[in-house]
Amino acid sequence: INDFKGIVPSEFQLSQNYPNPFNPSTVIRYSLPNTSKVVLNIYNSLGQEVMRLKDETNTAGIYEVQFNSSKLSSGVYFYQLIAESVDGNKSFTSTKKMILMK
């Protein structure tokens, strides 16, 4: 299930984290149709950035990121993917909600 090598998605996508609610870790999956600069941030319910999970360039494909929240308190958090293709032709932003229950 976790072997996505060789799969090139047709569009940008940010999937719902799994499991949700979670404690203390969850998986965030995203898809890139072409090589893109990727920033993946975690925000608290006040909109403050609490963690940056990714800030790098990824080739086209499907990615999974493990998020460990052991240093955070219970509550609602948001994760946001910002991706911009390196050729500058496409950009994508998506935000989803997740719940940490300790």
Side-chain angles (χ1 to χ4, degrees), residues 10-26:
S10 59
E11 59 187 19
F12 290 100
Q13 183 177 4
L14 178 62
S15 300
Q16 185 64 49
N17 65 302
Y18 182 82
N20 188 32
F22 66 97
N23 178 29
S25 65
T26 188

Side-chain angles (χ1 to χ4, degrees), residues 29-77:
R29 182 183 296 172
Y30 62 92
S31 304
L32 305 172
N34 44 40
T35 301
S36 302
K37 170 84 168 106
V38 171
V39 176
L40 182 60
N41 291 328
I42 306 295
Y43 297 94
N44 64 19
S45 58
L46 300 176
Q48 299 164 320
E49 183 180 317
V50 294
M51 195 173 296
R52 179 162 287 189
L53 298 180
K54 289 267 184 185
D55 187 354
E56 62 191 31
T57 299
N58 293 153
T59 56
I62 300 171
Y63 294 86
E64 285 188 344
V65 180
Q66 188 86 17
F67 170 51
N68 186 318
S69 65
S70 58
K71 294 180 180 165
L72 299 176
S73 57
S74 294
V76 174
Y77 292 87

